[in-house]
Amino acid sequence: MLYLRGSEGITQHMEIDFDKDVKVKLEDVTGALAFEGLAEKSVISLYDGKGELVLYGKKGTAPLELTLPERGTYVMVIGHPTLRAVVRSFEY
């Protein structure tokens, strides 16, 4: 599940298909993304509205946390070597 939290509370909720529940939480004030339930070796690629890669992270044994550089439109790609990639767009 992808929860996007805005000034009006949760503004968007999307399901992400993985073999277990994946939660992505966005902190509205800081732009911090927190991931829960990601399979080890999952790769997160985050692109801005121009299609440029702005953040990249790989899930190891430690929790994965990324911070958005600024407000705007983003496309998140969650990939894994043995699972189908999931692509979601959102506004921050």
Side-chain angles (χ1 to χ4, degrees):
M1 296 178 197
L2 174 62
Y3 297 96
L4 301 181
R5 184 170 297 282
S7 58
E8 302 298 322
I10 293 176
T11 57
Q12 192 170 359
H13 172 192
M14 290 184 250
E15 295 290 327
I16 296 176
D17 261 340
F18 268 121
D19 59 349
K20 50 170 109 168
D21 282 341
V22 174
K23 293 181 183 177
V24 181
K25 295 180 182 177
L26 171 60
E27 169 56 49
D28 185 52
V29 176
T30 63
L33 292 165
F35 300 85
E36 296 176 14
L38 280 178
E40 195 170 328
K41 298 183 183 177
S42 291
V43 174
I44 307 296
S45 301
L46 200 66
Y47 300 88
D48 65 12
K50 297 180 247 171
E52 296 179 12
L53 181 67
V54 293
L55 290 173
Y56 176 85
K58 186 171 183 179
K59 171 71 169 97
T61 55
L64 176 63
E65 291 190 18
L66 301 171
T67 302
L68 298 176
E70 61 188 14
R71 293 198 176 269
T73 302
Y74 292 93
V75 175
M76 181 185 303
V77 180
I78 301 177
H80 188 275
T82 61
L83 301 171
R84 182 183 300 217
V86 178
V87 179
R88 297 288 185 266
S89 62
F90 63 94
E91 294 277 332
Y92 167 59

